[in-house]
Amino acid sequence: MFFATTTPAVRRSVYGPALRSLDRFLDDAVSAARSAGTQFKDEDGHWELSIDVPGVTREQLAIAIEGATVKIQTVEGAPRTYKKAYEFAQDVDTAASSAKLENGVLTLRLAKLVPESKAATLAIA
């Protein structure tokens, strides 16, 4: 008995390109929705982050800074729920940073923490 080996027929989906386009469209729409109402500027010695939080007072916002992570959330009982964390490339200097809420826009001015050099010099004997 003789069996011939043949290559299997390659099936291509006619919907493949359309599905890839749909995936790209949905990914772009979701990422745009997540960043809606947020502006970011990277300046020389600080970052500036502006977030739209209409209807929320400064007493209803909580801002926590841990190293290079800034967490912003509304407290319980606020008319709008907002909870987001932003991670930066450098640690944030909390002493030199500031926040203001004006006309429903929270603006954070986050100073970049300059890393201290821990290099020690050795005397040559």
Side-chain angles (χ1 to χ4, degrees), residues 3-124:
F3 294 101
T5 58
T6 59
T7 57
V10 177
R11 293 187 176 198
R12 294 185 184 182
S13 172
V14 252
Y15 302 111
L19 291 176
R20 283 192 298 277
S21 294
L22 179 63
D23 284 342
R24 276 195 306 268
F25 171 75
L26 291 175
D27 287 343
D28 291 344
V30 168
S31 66
R34 285 185 180 154
S35 65
T38 304
Q39 291 87 33
F40 176 76
K41 291 181 193 172
D42 188 359
E43 309 251 338
D44 192 27
H46 68 279
W47 297 287
E48 192 167 304
L49 184 64
S50 298
I51 305 162
D52 292 340
V53 286
V56 178
T57 64
R58 59 180 60 126
E59 292 82 21
Q60 296 169 331
L61 284 169
I63 303 169
I65 299 174
E66 295 178 34
T69 305
V70 177
K71 297 177 185 175
I72 305 164
Q73 65 182 8
T74 52
V75 297
E76 196 171 322
R80 178 180 176 194
T81 303
Y82 185 85
K83 185 175 185 180
K84 191 104 176 183
Y86 298 92
E87 189 169 348
F88 296 95
Q90 275 178 262
D91 285 351
V92 177
D93 186 0
T94 55
S97 297
S98 64
K100 71 176 181 176
L101 181 65
E102 207 171 70
N103 297 325
V105 178
L106 175 66
T107 304
L108 301 174
R109 187 166 199 249
L110 305 166
K112 297 177 183 179
L113 186 65
V114 179
E116 294 179 24
S117 175
K118 295 182 181 180
T121 55
L122 294 176
I124 301 172

